[in-house]
């Protein structure tokens, strides 16, 4: 009987150690790599620098100059989003016209849960 009790206590301590090690590894992985959950487009860190610098230059010029009149504002605004940005990245903006086939977060979560529960369509 003593041998069984000894083996049982060893097994329990080993299983507890294994569970603790698994929990620590789980916590480490999901704290260290939270960006793995993102499946969207990952942009280059220098991608928008040139456009931002040009926008900043124009903003500085507009801030130094006296306020512009209504007609000049309307002329600059006709070229794009506003008088400073112009049409910078207008093709990258999300609009109803270019978002028809996009999936919402709700749809992505619903699809994931259907796959997990086995109720995939």
């Amino acid at each position: 009987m003593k041998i069984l009790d000894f083996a049982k206590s060893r097994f329990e301590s080993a299983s507890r150690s294994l569970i603790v090690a698994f929990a620590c590894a789980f916590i480490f992985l999901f704290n260290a790599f939270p960006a793995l959950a993102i499946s969207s487009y990952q942009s280059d860190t220098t991608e928008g620098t040139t456009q931002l610098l040009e926008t900043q230059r124009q903003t500085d010029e507009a801030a130094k100059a006296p306020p512009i009149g209504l007609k000049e504002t309307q002329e600059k605004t006709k070229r794009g989003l506003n008088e400073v940005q112009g049409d910078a990245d207008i093709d990258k903006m999300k609009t109803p016209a270019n978002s028809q086939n996009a999936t919402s977060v709700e749809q992505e979560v619903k699809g994931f849960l259907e796959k997990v529960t086995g109720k995939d369509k």
Side-chain angles (χ1 to χ4, degrees), residues 75-86:
E75 286 298 317
K76 287 185 176 183
T77 306
K78 285 180 184 175
R79 290 183 278 170
L81 303 172
N82 58 45
E83 62 269 10
V84 175
Q85 285 179 290

Side-chain angles (χ1 to χ4, degrees), residues 50-96:
T50 306
Q51 293 171 347
L52 287 175
L53 291 175
E54 179 61 23
T55 302
Q56 183 64 48
R57 185 189 64 74
Q58 290 177 1
T59 303
D60 292 341
E61 286 177 9
K64 291 177 187 175
I68 58 176
L70 178 62
K71 289 193 183 248
E72 190 177 348
T73 302
Q74 288 174 340
E75 286 298 317
K76 287 185 176 183
T77 306
K78 285 180 184 175
R79 290 183 278 170
L81 303 172
N82 58 45
E83 62 269 10
V84 175
Q85 285 179 290
D87 62 351
D89 290 337
I90 198 165
D91 57 325
K92 294 180 184 176
M93 287 183 62
K94 303 295 184 205
T95 62

Side-chain angles (χ1 to χ4, degrees), residues 1-64:
M1 224 26 163
K2 287 184 179 182
I3 294 174
L4 290 176
D5 289 337
F6 177 74
K8 184 179 175 183
S9 68
R10 283 293 190 186
F11 177 73
E12 287 175 351
S13 67
S15 64
R16 267 192 235 124
S17 299
L18 186 63
I19 290 171
V20 168
F22 179 75
C24 289
F26 184 80
I27 291 170
F28 172 75
L29 286 175
F30 286 99
N31 277 332
F33 305 109
L36 292 177
I38 299 174
S39 63
S40 64
Y41 170 73
Q42 302 294 316
S43 63
D44 184 18
T45 55
T46 59
E47 194 172 292
T49 306
T50 306
Q51 293 171 347
L52 287 175
L53 291 175
E54 179 61 23
T55 302
Q56 183 64 48
R57 185 189 64 74
Q58 290 177 1
T59 303
D60 292 341
E61 286 177 9
K64 291 177 187 175

